[in-house]
Amino acid sequence: MTPMIETRGLSKRFVKRLDLAAKIAERLGADVREEVVSAVDRVDMTVAEGEAVGLVGESGCGKSTLGRMIAGILPPTEGRILFRGVDVATMDEREGKKAALQVQMIFQDPFASLNPRMRVEDIIGEAPVIHGIVAPRDKADYVEEVMRRVGLDPDYRRRYPHQFSGGQRQRIGIARALAVKPEFLVCDEAIAALDVSIQAQILNLFMDLKEALNLTYLFISHDLGVVKHISDRVVIMYLGRVVEVADTEKLFAAPNHPYTRALLNEVPRLDLRRRNYQPVVGEIPSPLDPPSGCHFHPRCPHATRRCREEAPVLKEIAPGRLSACHLNDGT
Amino acid sequence: MAGTGPTLRVEGLRTHFFTNDGIVKAVDDVSFAVDRGQTLGLVGESGCGKTVTGFSVLGLVDPPGRVTDGRILFNGEDLLTAGEERLRSLRGNRIAMIFQDPMMTLNPVLRIETQMVETVLAHQDVDRDTARQMARDAMGKVGIPSPDERLHAYPHQFSGGMRQRVAIAIAFINKPDLIIADEPTTALDVTIQGQILFEAQKLCRETGTALIWITHDLAVVAGLANHICVMYAGRIVEEGRLDDVLDWPIHPYTRGLLNSVPSQKKSGERLEQIPGMTPSPLNLPPGCAFKTRCPRADHVCDAEPELREAVPGRRIRCFHPHTQGTP
Ligand SMILES: Nc1ncnc2c1ncn2[C@@H]1O[C@H](COP(=O)(O)OP(=O)(O)OP(=O)(O)O)[C@@H](O)[C@H]1O
Ligand SMILES: Nc1ncnc2c1ncn2[C@@H]1O[C@H](COP(=O)(O)OP(=O)(O)O)[C@@H](O)[C@H]1O
Ligand code: SF4
Ligand code: SF4
Ligand SMILES: [Mg+2]
Ligand SMILES: [Mg+2]
């Protein structure tokens, strides 16, 4: 079956432009160069219809950048994004707009992503009217329906975002995304800023909506407990590259990649009391100057000379399981 | 120096903020104790009063806030009557705090070495060279490679995780009797969090420092603490030995919190959720503050529950605790 979303060799490089001081220094003959960050480096991944895929990795590894490219709000530097098998770059304007509505994004900070001067009814109702999803005269009823769906009291429709709690604001963000009837939601740390008891409410809402509306998710989170709970499959990233892909259950039962293993080891767990932490050594390297070969080699307990010289490719190690580590070529 | 009794005992602490909109009872009758070499986990959701509790112990509450009642006994000495000069000599010396943002500790315009050496010289009678050697050792202990080089750097030249490790090194450098750590790993990645937890644990074992670890993450506390206090709306609602509380929570709020953690459920299953949201501190419901969200609430809860020992070694604030039946 054609996946709903597929990326092929998708890359994003950000160029840190020289500031004035650096430009002057360059004129005077100093060796300064524009720095390039490979935020996302040739990523191939798929998300099937109705699936929830978790995207995990440490800060700065490129999760948000990948998510924003998939959501169509950040142009890739290289590579392709296929929506239901069609390259979005080759779509005409009408098709492109349609595909853009189908993929919506939900952000970590619900406050920053909501216009403080708009009433909730307009935040939720404006886009569907503009895109002809509802007629202007049906807007009020439609807003009411969407608000109910995400557990907001429609009586609050004339309020402004600052009059809501964090959890309610996240519900408004979800309602705004749902109002244009998307098939695919990219949730970027969508519950990270919420209190524990509120996180459970929003996670339940995501699971209910998935059932009710047959939604497909890319669920970006640094919280492995949350990812384990909500995802069917998990993609692990390290410094711009995908290092492992697996069914959630298999990944947590038997992680393959040394980085995944380290990550799972570090997760605090309620059932591990007064444990002896055995930390992974070393810092997360700077993406401006990533290590040669396998990016993980300075922190990897199994690193060999080959790891320092040659980047491992992501390949199938079992049906539906991918990993990028030289150890899998072992004897 | 320490007599018998706990390193820190807080009794009936109340810290209120007298704002234009009304009185915020940020901390309202909080009591706990922590012994030498022990770790107390102070957990609760944002705004429940964890940070203000820590600040109160260090005498760092600024107007419009004020400690209005209670006793804070540090090695038997009441800090609330101690005076600013005495507090200043204790802070950074016998008591240290690690903040969520390490830049609360670090001065951006000073080299790391200068800050560490000054911290030592302010409280210990040693010469500069000895202080420098202590700084180098402290950096090594928190796992910072090539400490000699790193000591000459400025805070901005470090990553967030490294800055936090330096802040920890500074907190431990005078071997304090008590450290209060306020969500020091919340902003960090799991692998870096693991490193910091490892260092804190190791240093406490080595020095016998009593540790108060403030966090909203129950799993972090599970890995670190011996004892736990759960706070809600300015009060401790449940307190006891870590294993007892996590395995058999008897306050409805603690139960709700534990049940809402995803790992407690099978994947994909609906999580148990606590309905509603934390009430505004300016507008707490009369009686039990958890009443509006509690599945066990009834008319009895219109009165205010007192903290009491419901089962041996466990204190809770609730009229209808889960003391009967299975955990
Ligand atoms: N607009 C930009 N200009 C320059 N660099 C950028 C830009 N956006 C992101 N980057 C860089 O790209 C890399 C990946 O960033 P990204 O935001 O995708 O990380 P992330 O995995 O989402 O991290 P986090 O978990 O902290 O949200 C980082 O090194 C970041 O500094
Ligand atoms: N300077 C202040 N002025 C007024 N209210 C404050 C001040 N500092 C904290 N508070 C209030 O005190 C309560 C407890 O805050 P805090 O201890 O920071 O919570 P936590 O650390 O548990 O998230 C909150 O309701 C907060 O809004
Ligand atoms: S390729 Fe080498 S360095 Fe990279 S994860 Fe595998 S063993 Fe470790
Ligand atoms: S006192 Fe009543 S409302 Fe409060 S926690 Fe106990 S049962 Fe619930
Ligand atoms: Mg991000
Ligand atoms: Mg706080």
Side-chain angles (χ1 to χ4, degrees):
Chain A
M1 214 175 72
T2 320
M4 178 167 289
I5 287 279
E6 181 173 359
T7 72
R8 291 196 191 148
L10 196 63
S11 297
K12 181 72 191 181
R13 287 186 290 276
F14 292 105
V15 179
K16 296 225 157 119
R17 302 240 170 260
L18 295 180
D19 58 16
L20 188 62
K23 276 191 182 141
I24 293 168
E26 190 187 32
R27 284 268 166 77
L28 298 175
D31 181 26
V32 282
R33 273 166 300 165
E34 285 185 333
E35 291 183 310
V36 177
V37 184
S38 248
V40 172
D41 190 10
R42 287 162 290 170
V43 165
D44 299 318
M45 67 174 283
T46 59
V47 184
E49 179 157 3
E51 200 181 24
V53 172
L55 183 57
V56 175
E58 290 175 289
S59 185
C61 74
K63 307 179 294 294
S64 299
T65 305
L66 178 57
R68 290 166 66 208
M69 287 194 285
I70 289 175
I73 56 178
L74 184 73
T77 310
E78 241 165 47
R80 304 200 291 155
I81 301 169
L82 313 187
F83 182 73
R84 295 194 179 283
V86 184
D87 188 336
V88 293
T90 67
M91 289 179 178
D92 64 28
E93 200 184 319
R94 205 180 54 87
E95 280 175 330
K97 273 203 180 129
K98 208 171 140 218
L101 281 184
Q102 294 304 321
V103 186
Q104 290 293 313
M105 187 143 178
I106 291 165
F107 301 91
Q108 164 165 1
D109 184 352
F111 207 46
S113 61
L114 300 174
N115 184 337
R117 279 183 291 281
M118 273 168 85
R119 292 181 196 277
V120 168
E121 60 186 355
D122 296 319
I123 290 174
I124 298 172
E126 190 172 64
V129 170
I130 290 175
H131 296 292
I133 292 166
V134 286
R137 65 186 147 81
D138 298 330
K139 178 176 148 189
D141 288 345
Y142 185 68
V143 166
E144 190 165 316
E145 180 193 321
V146 179
M147 284 181 80
R148 284 231 167 79
R149 170 132 265 155
V150 300
L152 282 171
D153 186 340
D155 286 350
Y156 293 158
R157 69 160 76 82
R158 299 191 56 78
R159 290 200 185 176
Y160 294 94
H162 73 265
Q163 293 169 300
F164 292 89
S165 72
Q168 288 173 323
R169 286 200 286 255
Q170 196 53 286
R171 288 179 198 266
I172 297 170
I174 297 168
R176 177 182 58 182
L178 290 181
V180 295
K181 298 194 186 296
E183 296 180 275
F184 187 101
L185 288 187
V186 177
C187 307
D188 189 359
E189 301 282 3
I191 64 163
L194 305 175
D195 262 335
V196 193
S197 73
I198 309 300
Q199 286 191 355
Q201 295 176 1
I202 302 295
L203 271 182
N204 280 340
L205 175 63
F206 278 127
M207 291 190 288
D208 293 345
L209 292 172
K210 181 167 186 264
E211 284 285 299
L213 305 173
N214 189 33
L215 288 174
T216 304
Y217 288 120
L218 180 65
F219 208 90
I220 300 174
S221 177
H222 68 278
D223 186 332
L224 284 154
V226 166
V227 165
K228 185 178 181 195
H229 197 78
I230 200 166
S231 316
D232 305 305
R233 271 194 316 136
V234 180
V235 173
I236 310 268
M237 279 181 86
Y238 190 76
L239 242 67
R241 295 179 184 161
V242 172
V243 298
E244 182 160 6
V245 180
D247 287 347
T248 307
E249 231 167 278
K250 292 194 178 118
L251 184 98
F252 282 88
N256 174 272
H257 197 280
Y259 174 64
T260 315
R261 278 186 250 158
L263 207 55
L264 295 191
N265 244 328
E266 291 306 312
V267 181
R269 280 171 36 187
L270 278 174
D271 55 344
L272 291 181
R273 307 286 161 79
R274 287 175 298 283
R275 57 193 285 203
N276 282 311
Y277 283 94
Q278 292 297 331
V280 196
V281 295
E283 294 292 310
I284 303 168
S286 160
L288 283 171
D289 185 21
S292 61
C294 172
H295 286 342
F296 190 54
H297 85 251
R299 305 173 79 190
C300 180
H302 312 288
T304 61
R305 201 172 123 205
R306 183 178 176 205
C307 304
R308 288 188 285 277
E309 289 166 357
E310 183 191 333
V313 288
L314 186 68
K315 55 185 171 195
E316 192 157 57
I317 52 164
R321 265 200 97 151
L322 308 173
S323 179
C325 172
H326 293 315
L327 290 180
N328 293 311
D329 302 344
T331 45
Chain B
M1 120 188 43
T4 50
T7 304
L8 180 75
R9 176 187 291 284
V10 171
E11 287 172 1
L13 178 71
R14 290 183 208 267
T15 306
H16 296 176
F17 289 87
F18 300 86
T19 70
N20 292 335
D21 301 325
I23 301 175
V24 175
K25 298 181 175 174
V27 175
D28 205 26
D29 191 13
V30 160
S31 306
F32 59 82
V34 52
D35 291 323
R36 204 182 126 74
Q38 300 286 299
T39 300
L40 171 75
L42 190 58
V43 299
E45 297 180 86
S46 74
C48 72
K50 307 182 293 296
T51 298
V52 174
T53 301
F55 275 43
S56 302
V57 172
L58 278 105
L60 293 176
V61 177
D62 289 324
R66 186 156 52 81
V67 175
T68 61
D69 201 6
R71 299 210 296 165
I72 298 172
L73 300 172
F74 175 67
N75 289 329
E77 174 185 2
D78 192 344
L79 299 185
L80 287 180
T81 55
E84 184 50 36
E85 198 174 326
R86 173 71 180 140
L87 283 179
R88 214 171 305 135
S89 80
L90 287 173
R91 278 197 298 261
N93 182 21
R94 307 322 317 143
I95 311 178
M97 188 146 180
I98 306 167
F99 302 90
Q100 178 165 352
D101 178 0
M103 291 315 285
M104 292 271 290
T105 306
L106 303 176
N107 185 332
V109 301
L110 294 182
R111 293 179 198 279
I112 300 295
E113 178 172 42
T114 317
Q115 307 193 34
M116 297 186 95
V117 167
E118 291 309 322
T119 308
V120 174
L121 294 181
H123 300 288
Q124 292 193 45
D125 187 18
V126 295
D127 60 36
R128 200 161 271 276
D129 279 341
T130 314
R132 229 175 255 138
Q133 185 55 44
M134 288 170 70
R136 210 169 298 136
D137 290 349
M139 294 281 274
K141 280 211 179 100
V142 294
I144 291 181
S146 43
D148 277 319
E149 230 169 90
R150 291 307 199 155
L151 274 170
H152 292 286
Y154 291 92
H156 75 264
Q157 294 168 300
F158 289 85
S159 70
M162 277 228 219
R163 268 182 227 153
Q164 193 60 284
R165 269 189 266 171
V166 173
I168 290 179
I170 292 176
F172 274 95
I173 200 162
N174 288 323
K175 298 202 171 55
D177 302 320
L178 173 68
I179 289 186
I180 301 176
D182 188 3
E183 313 232 19
T185 60
T186 299
L188 303 175
D189 283 309
V190 269
T191 60
I192 308 301
Q193 166 170 282
Q195 292 170 351
I196 304 254
L197 292 174
F198 169 76
E199 304 301 348
Q201 200 173 44
K202 189 172 62 126
L203 289 169
C204 275
R205 277 182 196 155
E206 283 169 14
T207 57
T209 299
L211 184 63
I212 298 177
W213 199 273
I214 297 177
T215 175
H216 65 275
D217 190 336
L218 286 160
V220 165
V221 161
L224 202 63
N226 322 86
H227 211 82
I228 182 172
C229 290
V230 181
M231 283 186 81
Y232 187 78
R235 304 223 160 109
I236 289 175
V237 295
E238 181 156 8
E239 187 237 292
R241 284 183 42 221
L242 177 97
D243 294 319
D244 295 350
V245 173
L246 294 187
D247 295 336
W248 183 21
I250 60 181
H251 192 283
Y253 175 64
T254 315
R255 233 173 222 233
L257 264 191
L258 279 163
N259 282 335
S260 64
V261 175
S263 66
Q264 296 293 89
K265 284 271 175 282
K266 266 184 57 198
S267 293
E269 233 173 34
R270 270 186 78 81
L271 298 166
E272 274 176 48
Q273 58 186 49
I274 302 176
M277 53 191 169
T278 324
S280 153
L282 284 166
N283 198 11
L284 291 180
C288 175
F290 190 52
K291 195 170 59 187
T292 50
R293 310 174 72 188
C294 180
R296 300 196 142 206
D298 64 13
H299 65 278
V300 177
C301 310
D302 293 339
E304 210 170 278
E306 292 292 318
L307 198 65
R308 65 187 169 99
E309 189 156 6
V311 292
R314 188 92 59 95
R315 295 191 301 157
I316 51 144
R317 214 183 259 281
C318 174
F319 292 115
H320 309 300
H322 294 264
T323 38
Q324 306 291 315
T326 49

